[in-house]
Amino acid sequence: MLKKEKEIFEKGSELLKAPKPTENQQGYLAGLMKGYSKLLIDDPVRPFREENLQEIADNVDYGVLEALNGTWVSYNANYNKNITRPSLGSGIHTTIMPSPGTNPSTIPGKFSFDTEEYIEKLTFEIVPGGVRNRGGATELFCGAVKYDQTIKSVNKVEGQSELQYAGIHEENGMYLWLSDVYNYAATEETIKRDRGIHAFSTEDFEKYGYKGDYRNEPLVEVRDENGNPSYILLSQLKEGQQYYEIIPAQEIKPMDGIKGPYFIPDYSISRSGVIPHGSTITVLGDITPENKGDKQYYLRNGAPQFPTGIKTWDPPHLAISPTMGGGGGPINLDEPAPAWVHETLTDENDKGSNKIYTQRILANELYPYCVRPDMRLRDTLSGQNVENFVLVQLSSRMSTGAQGGILNVPFVNRFVPTVEIEFNLWIETVIEDGKEILQLQYEQIIFFEFDFGNDGGTTSWPHIQVNTLRKIEDIPADQRKVIEQEFFNAPPAMSMTTTASVSERIANPPAGCPYHKEEL
């Protein structure tokens, strides 16, 4: 979990917050990230007081999530002279699904592969005021940000001059910043308000001879020199005096809870989402720092770095998982696909049927992005002047600590269990024509499990999405025209399984991809 350096202080009952640096003093992202560091167990803990509730809620921290507020849309970098292969849409997805006729226990190797370019609208909306989670001695105030995502594929269809757009994904949910933690010790007022039991305990008197009211500390049994027992309060026990039984207190006293131990959340960021295929996700994570010597920097200078050459063959980012047999790798994805990818494979040139298993993935016209989609992110950055960035990494399956998770409806759970999500989000500052522009890039890898390996083991199937987005006001006018047409002016009904209907095309004739009009 991250903390922000002291910028909140008390003056009477009023909480005052130091102003953030303005954009003129330093870049927006740099100002937003100023003062964050890792929270440790011996760091100061802020006390919670009821009279400060409204001020605390009004000044809740949203962390880096504050930068997301607004409407983001696909940003196609075809203008870039370093882009040698123009794209239809900025996003790329790869999807592997069970082949028709298969079931969860059939012979492996039968799967359908699909990859497409897409455009997207992703809207974030800050929920005003902190969301209070009450945990007794610990109070957590979440900074909540709602999100809503719509994705449409972009395809050329033979015989049609216009690009075809079809809805393929809808999702909504919420991001939470989990770092505003307070200690709420008991007070006389809270004890009186919440006690709810009799002040005098008949049981204490009959069993232990305790005559006092409202016992808020343990009783202990002591014995005299003759071994006769009696019960006294713990506070009455003399130093070195032996005791034989402990009767726990059922009540608390003022300032209980202040001694800790204090709760430190494992992570600063949570994302919960609902997907209409029948899955609900919770992923947890944090801003990933850059380590330089003994210091950690949560704002990184320069652009995100992606591999080149033979290092592009890195299974965690490939549409081919190691459980699928390796796909004939390692392969340098910056070079043309190997010759066998386009050959007719036989038992002679493909012993063990390993290559034919994944040949269709490598032979796709979107190569190499169909194999490693995040290469599209790398190529989009080529030639851009990226001043700094923040990397957020979230996962449903953590190696240690608190865990996220995925819940699926029975159909999905039976035939295509969705078991794990890894999510990388880069929030970047790009300088263009002397102007500072925020840019989002993301890579989401979802793992399905279906069919069995030839040794009876489970096969893991990656479903990957990557895209580059900017605020709608920061994309060129011709791109904005397509976005407005497809996401703001389109009819409300949107097919999630087929290309757009003829009626939709008539109702909203597309302008075509602004960078492919001549080809059409």
Side-chain angles (χ1 to χ4, degrees), residues 69-363:
N69 194 39
T71 299
W72 302 77
V73 297
S74 288
Y75 173 62
N76 201 324
N78 284 334
Y79 76 94
N80 191 329
K81 64 181 181 181
N82 294 300
I83 303 295
T84 57
R85 180 179 170 182
S87 56
L88 302 181
S90 59
I92 293 278
H93 84 85
T94 68
T95 305
I96 295 176
M97 283 289 148
S99 182
T102 63
N103 62 61
S105 58
T106 53
I107 298 171
K110 312 301 182 194
F111 65 89
S112 295
F113 176 73
D114 185 29
T115 184
E116 295 175 295
E117 296 176 282
Y118 66 82
I119 59 174
E120 173 180 356
K121 176 170 74 75
L122 179 58
T123 301
F124 295 93
E125 181 184 352
I126 285 179
V127 178
V131 180
R132 184 183 181 187
N133 282 344
R134 301 179 64 173
T138 301
E139 296 266 342
L140 170 67
F141 286 81
C142 303
V145 181
K146 296 186 291 186
Y147 75 91
D148 190 88
Q149 181 184 44
T150 299
I151 290 176
K152 286 189 173 186
S153 63
V154 188
N155 287 286
K156 287 183 177 179
V157 177
E158 188 175 352
Q160 298 190 32
S161 60
E162 297 168 341
L163 293 175
Q164 296 298 298
Y165 298 89
I168 58 173
H169 185 78
E170 289 281 346
E171 183 178 334
N172 59 61
M174 197 168 286
Y175 281 80
L176 300 178
W177 183 259
L178 305 171
S179 287
D180 273 359
V181 178
Y182 292 78
N183 172 257
Y184 194 176
T187 66
E188 272 194 51
E189 181 183 349
T190 63
I191 292 169
K192 289 177 181 178
R193 182 185 64 208
D194 300 335
R195 187 169 74 199
I197 66 167
H198 298 117
F200 177 79
S201 172
T202 303
E203 182 181 13
D204 276 357
F205 176 70
E206 292 177 349
K207 285 186 175 182
Y208 314 117
Y210 178 70
K211 301 177 182 179
D213 294 339
Y214 184 73
R215 180 168 66 82
N216 56 20
E217 60 177 288
L219 289 172
V220 293
E221 179 194 345
V222 294
R223 297 174 185 175
D224 61 20
E225 62 274 10
N226 298 318
N228 297 315
S230 62
Y231 290 86
I232 61 174
L233 293 171
L234 181 62
S235 60
Q236 298 171 324
L237 190 68
K238 297 176 182 177
E239 186 176 354
Q241 186 177 6
Q242 291 288 334
Y243 55 93
Y244 301 91
E245 274 188 349
I246 304 168
I247 315 302
Q250 295 185 15
E251 291 300 327
I252 59 175
K253 56 186 174 182
M255 300 310 292
D256 273 354
I258 198 172
K259 295 180 180 179
Y262 300 118
F263 172 69
I264 297 180
D266 298 59
Y267 310 106
S268 298
I269 300 174
S270 162
R271 170 186 156 205
S272 298
V274 179
I275 298 131
H277 293 291
S279 297
T280 302
I281 65 168
T282 294
V283 289
L284 300 170
D286 226 322
I287 301 171
T288 301
E290 180 180 24
N291 296 311
K292 292 183 178 179
D294 59 349
K295 292 187 177 181
Q296 294 184 322
Y297 297 88
Y298 292 92
L299 180 70
R300 306 187 188 199
N301 293 323
Q305 298 299 304
F306 293 89
T308 58
I310 195 65
K311 291 183 179 180
T312 56
W313 192 266
D314 187 13
H317 301 276
L318 302 181
I320 303 169
S321 77
T323 61
M324 294 166 64
I331 297 170
N332 182 347
L333 296 175
D334 277 323
E335 295 181 352
W340 63 264
V341 169
H342 304 288
E343 293 175 353
T344 299
L345 299 177
T346 66
D347 287 343
E348 295 298 320
N349 60 5
D350 183 23
K351 298 184 185 300
S353 300
N354 183 40
K355 293 178 180 178
I356 198 170
Y357 193 49
T358 50
Q359 184 186 41
R360 77 202 80 168
I361 299 177
L362 293 152

Side-chain angles (χ1 to χ4, degrees), residues 4-37:
K4 194 169 181 65
E5 70 181 16
K6 292 276 187 178
E7 66 168 15
I8 296 181
F9 59 96
E10 289 189 54
K11 185 176 181 181
S13 62
E14 183 183 8
L15 288 177
L16 301 177
K17 192 168 185 178
K20 291 180 180 175
T22 65
E23 193 168 339
N24 293 330
Q25 292 173 307
Q26 57 181 291
Y28 171 77
L29 201 56
L32 187 65
M33 292 306 300
K34 182 177 175 61
Y36 281 99
S37 61

